Amino acid sequence: QQQVKQSPQSLIVQKGGISIINCAYENTAFDYFPWYQQFPGKGPALLIAIRPDVSEKKEGRFTISFNKSAKQFSLHIMDSQPGDSATYFCAATQQGGSEKLVFGKGTKLTVNP
Amino acid sequence: KAGVTQTPRYLIKTRGQQVTLSCSPISGHRSVSWYQQTPGQGLQFLFEYFSETQRNKGNFPGRFSGRQFSNSRSEMNVSTLELGDSALYLCASSLGTTHGETQYFGPGTRLLVL
């Protein structure tokens, strides 16, 4: 059972464009939603995260939009750069004494110069 | 501060063998989680250890096991290897004391089972 669904699987954007990656979840107990960025040969690294009590969080060129009623959240990358080319994973976790992350299947982003 | 380190980085084994992977967390971190990453299934949670105790376990067969030592270093073991165990195994560490803390991932161990 895939608890976090991520789309698209791959995305090609021109330099300076906006990249948008979407995720949907099923478990209403999820209460923390991080996004991870992974470059080839590296482990995932936290990019930005949000909790469901806010609808948007912005850090530099990266913004998370969160829709609690729709159980959806998305990552927007403004002014996309070739250096942003990587695989992006959304994830979710819930309280309960464990830090288990449930990941989406990832989006491979390519930003063309 | 040194990041999460994993050894070995690459490993080739044959079916039926067993393997032990090691993870050294960031200094001061007491939680270590393990994930399996494959192209088909993505990132899947294996287990989490906190202060030498398994705190949660994913949906993997009993061939997958782990442990954590008093210095927070962790090992995972896979016995009777199968071709499908070929994957990147990632560990992540965090303080483990507050829900929603940042988890820091290591570079992973790439396991190939022939």
Side-chain angles (χ1 to χ4, degrees):
Chain A
Q1 181 188 8
Q2 185 184 355
Q3 294 191 58
V4 178
K5 294 184 180 180
Q6 183 171 347
S7 62
Q9 192 173 355
S10 62
L11 181 61
I12 300 175
V13 174
Q14 292 300 117
K15 178 182 176 181
I18 302 173
S19 304
I20 302 175
I21 304 171
N22 301 299
C23 285
Y25 63 97
E26 300 163 4
N27 185 351
T28 54
F30 287 149
D31 62 355
Y32 178 70
F33 302 87
W35 284 88
Y36 281 83
Q37 179 189 55
Q38 185 177 28
F39 293 103
K42 305 285 188 182
L46 179 67
L47 193 61
I48 185 172
I50 197 168
R51 297 184 188 273
D53 53 345
V54 297
S55 60
E56 186 175 282
K57 184 175 181 180
K58 184 176 180 179
E59 290 184 1
R61 296 184 293 109
F62 302 92
T63 300
I64 300 178
S65 297
F66 188 85
N67 186 328
K68 188 174 180 178
S69 60
K71 292 185 286 184
Q72 295 175 347
F73 57 110
S74 60
L75 175 70
H76 295 233
I77 306 175
M78 311 299 288
D79 187 26
S80 298
Q81 300 296 312
D84 297 331
S85 297
T87 300
Y88 293 80
F89 295 92
C90 61
T93 186
Q94 65 183 85
Q95 282 215 8
S98 168
E99 295 306 307
K100 171 185 174 181
L101 289 166
V102 178
F103 284 90
K105 292 211 169 181
T107 296
K108 184 176 182 180
L109 171 66
T110 302
V111 181
N112 289 326
Chain B
K1 189 183 263 191
V4 178
T5 58
Q6 292 187 245
T7 56
R9 292 293 312 277
Y10 304 93
L11 207 49
I12 300 175
K13 292 286 186 178
T14 56
R15 280 180 298 173
Q17 287 187 310
Q18 75 165 17
V19 66
T20 299
L21 312 181
S22 180
C23 173
S24 292
I26 291 172
S27 178
H29 285 190
R30 293 161 64 190
S31 168
V32 173
S33 298
W34 288 88
Y35 293 83
Q36 181 194 65
Q37 185 174 22
T38 59
Q41 298 301 316
L43 283 148
Q44 293 188 290
F45 174 80
L46 281 156
F47 26 66
E48 183 207 358
Y49 286 88
F50 178 79
S51 292
E52 301 180 68
T53 300
Q54 188 180 85
R55 200 152 70 166
N56 201 347
K57 188 178 188 306
N59 189 26
F60 278 82
R63 300 184 297 105
F64 292 81
S65 62
R67 59 178 175 168
Q68 187 180 34
F69 302 95
S70 58
N71 61 357
S72 294
R73 190 177 69 86
S74 178
E75 289 181 348
M76 68 163 281
N77 183 276
V78 188
S79 63
T80 319
L81 284 165
E82 301 177 359
L83 295 179
D85 297 333
S86 295
L88 180 67
Y89 290 89
L90 294 158
C91 80
S93 79
S94 68
L95 290 169
T97 54
T98 304
H99 176 57
E101 293 168 348
T102 299
Q103 292 193 47
Y104 297 86
F105 282 82
T109 294
R110 171 104 27 214
L111 172 64
L112 177 62
V113 182
L114 301 175

